[in-house]
Each structure stands twice: as structure tokens, then as C-alpha cells.
Amino acid sequence: MLRVKGSDFLLQGIHSTLERYSREILSFEEKYGCNFQEFERRWDENDIADKHNYAVESDFIDWEMLEGEKKTLLT
């Protein structure tokens, strides 16, 4: 019984974290009008205005981390 409750608790935590990551990813998608793959492609092609601006660069790093963490949790 304790093992089942522990598993339920762990799954709830993972689900909650996935929801938070998804909300944060959505905020970046809305801000930049594309998904991360498109943003990264545009970044690599120097098609992002002020890409070395602290805020834009910080968004890129945070967004990339969120995408990676979400993928890890889903696997």
C-alpha cells in the first residue's frame, strides 16, 4: 500500500511539473509566435532581431532547458 501511495505521489509530481513546463513553453511560443524548433532555426540563421540582447538570449536558454526537461520527463 505504501509503495502504491509513493508511486501515486511521484506521478502527481511529474504531472504537475509537466503542466508547469508546458505553460512556460506556451508563454515563449506566444511571445515569439513559433515553437522552439522554429525559433532555434531562426536563431541559427540570424533571423532573430537582437538575438544577443540579454532578455532574448535568456529566453532562448530557458526555453531550450524547458524543452529538454519536458522531453526527459515524458520519456
Side-chain angles (χ1 to χ4, degrees):
M1 179 106 162
L2 185 58
R3 180 176 285 177
V4 171
K5 291 291 183 184
S7 293
D8 287 346
F9 183 72
L10 180 62
L11 287 174
Q12 287 174 351
I14 290 171
H15 182 73
S16 175
T17 301
L18 281 171
E19 285 181 352
R20 183 170 50 88
Y21 288 172
S22 294
R23 282 191 309 272
E24 292 179 31
I25 288 168
L26 181 59
S27 72
F28 286 125
E29 290 174 345
E30 290 172 343
K31 182 175 182 177
Y32 292 101
C34 60
N35 63 26
F36 181 73
Q37 290 74 24
E38 174 68 13
F39 186 81
E40 184 175 39
R41 182 192 63 76
R42 290 175 53 206
W43 179 278
D44 291 340
E45 295 175 358
N46 293 315
D47 191 29
I48 302 291
D50 285 336
K51 85 177 204 178
H52 293 294
N53 172 291
Y54 176 80
V56 176
E57 218 168 318
S58 179
D59 284 351
F60 179 85
I61 292 166
D62 291 345
W63 196 355
E64 183 177 42
M65 184 274 310
L66 286 165
E67 292 285 350
E69 291 296 317
K70 182 177 177 182
K71 183 178 180 181
T72 298
L73 285 176
L74 288 172
T75 57

